């Protein structure tokens, strides 16, 4: 039977309105990305991984990741760490910040993370991974979920051993990106493992890896029995891919539409990260948005050279004057900043070291 991507499903008591989840991506999944993902049909969005040590030490930049907008729900905030007590404390902060789900990263292959005992390292540490899951699940009342890779080495089946134990320890859903940590992003995601995991557990499984179109999403859901697909790289600078996957709307966006979405993204990101950080963070997005034959190649180079985000906006409006009207509509629909959960409103006993 063909899966209906517009159907809702549940993670614990959280209803997820469509079967498409926007992937957590470090250096990408800022609030503007998540909000946009929700607008284009993603049923669930996720923050990038947030260090539980950073939360514990009240690192200002880390706490910035806990800002939740009224239009993001349902939202998962992902944490990483290797120590059950610190992960539980971070999970409490994440819940207080307004996340609907606490997601844990047991898959990051980057050495900076694995050498601390976190991320993909936990795939081979069943007892510790379960103790972390138990500690986090009993610390919060929202559902706790885990995102995994297949294992550390290329032929590893660690995810199939670990998955059922994590569910027993309290995980309400599992996401599997069936590449090994060693593979990073090479080769392909082997979703036969996702199908095996679905058979082994009685919680919803999300299939992550190489889903870039509606045809691929339907194929993966049918072949695996997963509850939902996760879309990562395919959505970078391309919310229209999310729309195509969820709604089957394959119309290419007009230049005006691309420029309006990019300008909104630039403005929101500058507000979120501050002008200095945003100006460098955004450079990779110009290529992602303007590619796909949407704008001539030299135009991207021109934007990357510009010094400030205001100059980028001015240049985009000059290249696509019709974008101004679309942009005004998009901005009018944004919730006011008042509706945002700000850190200084978090309970003092949790935020500020009390
Ligand atoms: C730039 C980048 C950053 C990522 N950061 C995270 C992260 O913070 N947490 C996580 O669980 N996965 C992270 N991932 C993995 C993605 O969530 C996803 O599982 C993977 O990219 C496969 O899906 P895709 O083929 O749709 O991109 C990242 C991937 C990319 C490309």
């Amino acid at each position: 039977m063909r899966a209906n991507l517009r159907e809702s499903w549940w993670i614990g008591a959280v209803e997820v309105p469509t079967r498409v989840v926007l992937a957590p991506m470090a250096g990408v999944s800022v609030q503007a990305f998540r909000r946009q993902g929700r607008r284009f049909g993603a049923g669930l969005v996720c923050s990038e991984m947030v260090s539980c040590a950073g939360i514990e030490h009240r690192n200002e930049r880390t706490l910035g990741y806990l800002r939740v907008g009224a239009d993001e729900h349902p939202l998962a905030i992902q944490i990483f760490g290797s120590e059950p007590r610190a992960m539980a404390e971070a999970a409490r902060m994440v819940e207080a910040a307004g996340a609907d789900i606490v997601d844990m990263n047991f898959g990051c292959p980057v050495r900076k993370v694995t050498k601390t005992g976190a991320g993909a390292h936990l795939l081979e540490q069943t007892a510790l991974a379960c103790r972390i899951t138990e500690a986090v699940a009993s610390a919060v009342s929202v559902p706790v979920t885990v995102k995994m890779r297949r294992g550390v080495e290329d032929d590893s089946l660690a995810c199939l051993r670990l998955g059922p134990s994590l569910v027993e320890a309290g995980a309400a859903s599992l996401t599997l990106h069936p590449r090994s940590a060693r593979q990073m992003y090479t080769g392909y995601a082997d979703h036969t493992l996702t199908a095996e995991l679905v058979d082994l557990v009685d919680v919803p499984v999300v299939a992550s890896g190489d889903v870039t179109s509606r045809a691929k999403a339907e194929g993966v859901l049918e072949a695996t029995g997963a509850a939902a697909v996760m879309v990562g790289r395919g959505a970078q600078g391309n919310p229209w891919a999310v729309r195509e996957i969820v709604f089957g709307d394959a119309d290419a966006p007009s230049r005006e539409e691309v420029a309006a979405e990019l300008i909104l993204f630039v403005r929101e990101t500058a507000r979120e990260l501050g002008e200095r950080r945003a100006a460098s963070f955004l450079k990779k997005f110009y290529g992602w948005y303007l590619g796909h034959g949407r704008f001539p190649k030299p135009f991207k180079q021109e934007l990357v050279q510009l010094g400030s985000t205001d100059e980028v906006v001015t240049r985009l409006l000059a290249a696509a004057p019709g974008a101004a009207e679309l942009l005004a509509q998009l901005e009018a629909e944004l919730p006011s900043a008042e509706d945002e959960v700000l850190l200084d409103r978090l309970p003092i006993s949790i935020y500020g070291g009390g």
Side-chain angles (χ1 to χ4, degrees), residues 23-26 48-49 78 105 147 177 185 208-210 231-233:
M25 286 185 283
E48 67 177 84
M49 57 182 196
Q78 187 186 70
N105 182 315
K147 183 161 178 285
H177 174 204
Y185 294 93
S208 170
D210 306 342
V231 182
R233 289 166 296 173

Side-chain angles (χ1 to χ4, degrees), residues 20-24 33-34 37-38 42 44-46 229-232 235 242:
V20 177
V21 180
L22 196 63
F33 182 76
R34 306 188 309 249
R38 291 282 295 122
L44 176 65
V45 295
C46 189
V229 288
M230 181 175 268
V231 182
V242 175

Side-chain angles (χ1 to χ4, degrees), residues 46-52 55 66 77-81 86-92 94 102-106 132 136:
C46 189
S47 76
E48 67 177 84
M49 57 182 196
V50 184
S51 154
C52 81
I55 294 179
L66 304 188
I77 291 185
Q78 187 186 70
I79 54 175
F80 72 96
M87 285 287 272
E89 168 67 9
R92 279 188 211 103
V94 161
V102 177
D103 187 53
M104 297 194 292
N105 182 315
F106 290 1
I132 292 173
V136 169

Side-chain angles (χ1 to χ4, degrees), residues 18 27 74 80 116 154 179 238 246 351:
T18 70
F80 72 96
T116 67
D154 283 353
R179 280 187 173 88
N238 200 7
V246 180
Y351 174 61

